[in-house]
Amino acid sequence: MSPALKEELKQNRPFTSLQEEAQLNILRTGNVVNDALERVLKPHGITGTQYNVLRILRGAEPAGLCRNEVRDRLLNRMPDATRLLDRMEDAGLVKRSREGEDRREVRARITPEGRKLVDGLDSVAANEHQRQLGHLSGDKLELLISLLTQVRNPV
């Protein structure tokens, strides 16, 4: 058991397997990284999930995306993307419109206000990424990315 995780979790008993220890390390690290990003976004009146939606919609300009496409691209799975988009539309960050022959299809697009916000947060996010991961070399970051990709896509 790694002493750092053992200390953080205040755990006295060993893990049942290396796989369990690795999974808990992944979960703990993900939460630490996510919490730090949430803290830097909070003063800007936006959550990490909303920031993610704005980044997704900025990348889909000008066509926009339907709700399910946004939901499927989110980093954190969210069962109610409609409610999330409702709140973001109420805040003036996204707009939605029915298009095409299928009137059930509603496309979401980033508004100029949403674009201005996400563009302004690029440097905030980059600074946070650097703060959290800047101490790792390029080789270590590439290894980390490769290992995490293998965890998500075992074969």
Side-chain angles (χ1 to χ4, degrees), residues 25-74:
N25 265 287
I26 291 168
L27 292 172
R28 177 71 177 151
T29 303
N31 284 328
V32 167
V33 169
N34 189 57
D35 289 349
L37 184 60
E38 291 282 350
R39 276 193 301 278
V40 299
L41 293 174
K42 188 175 183 176
H44 302 276
I46 193 168
T47 67
T49 301
Q50 291 170 327
Y51 175 65
N52 191 13
V53 168
L54 291 176
R55 289 179 62 242
I56 291 166
L57 291 176
R58 176 176 61 183
E61 285 183 317
L65 298 168
C66 73
R67 178 202 65 221
N68 290 345
E69 291 172 315
V70 172
R71 181 199 64 210
D72 292 346
R73 294 181 186 196
L74 286 170

Side-chain angles (χ1 to χ4, degrees), residues 133 135-147:
L133 299 169
H135 63 286
L136 298 175
S137 69
D139 288 344
K140 285 185 178 180
L141 287 169
E142 288 176 7
L143 176 60
L144 177 61
I145 291 165
S146 175
L147 291 171

Side-chain angles (χ1 to χ4, degrees), residues 11-151:
Q11 182 166 326
N12 297 322
R13 294 178 23 186
F15 293 111
T16 60
S17 66
L18 280 174
Q19 290 84 0
E20 178 188 38
E21 182 178 357
Q23 184 174 18
L24 291 175
N25 265 287
I26 291 168
L27 292 172
R28 177 71 177 151
T29 303
N31 284 328
V32 167
V33 169
N34 189 57
D35 289 349
L37 184 60
E38 291 282 350
R39 276 193 301 278
V40 299
L41 293 174
K42 188 175 183 176
H44 302 276
I46 193 168
T47 67
T49 301
Q50 291 170 327
Y51 175 65
N52 191 13
V53 168
L54 291 176
R55 289 179 62 242
I56 291 166
L57 291 176
R58 176 176 61 183
E61 285 183 317
L65 298 168
C66 73
R67 178 202 65 221
N68 290 345
E69 291 172 315
V70 172
R71 181 199 64 210
D72 292 346
R73 294 181 186 196
L74 286 170
L75 294 172
N76 297 324
R77 292 294 170 223
M78 174 161 242
D80 197 354
T82 300
R83 198 169 292 159
L84 171 64
L85 290 169
D86 286 345
R87 289 190 304 269
M88 294 181 73
E89 188 171 35
D90 290 345
L93 302 175
V94 302
K95 64 180 175 182
R96 292 180 288 181
S97 60
R98 296 188 188 283
E99 297 178 8
E101 292 182 24
D102 185 351
R103 300 299 293 158
R104 294 172 296 175
E105 182 177 332
V106 179
R107 307 226 28 108
R109 290 182 177 81
I110 192 168
T111 63
E113 182 180 339
R115 178 68 190 249
K116 181 179 177 184
L117 177 61
V118 73
D119 286 350
L121 289 173
D122 285 342
S123 63
V124 171
N127 289 339
E128 185 58 24
H129 300 321
Q130 179 63 33
R131 187 190 70 76
Q132 291 180 346
L133 299 169
H135 63 286
L136 298 175
S137 69
D139 288 344
K140 285 185 178 180
L141 287 169
E142 288 176 7
L143 176 60
L144 177 61
I145 291 165
S146 175
L147 291 171
L148 292 171
T149 300
Q150 289 177 49
V151 168

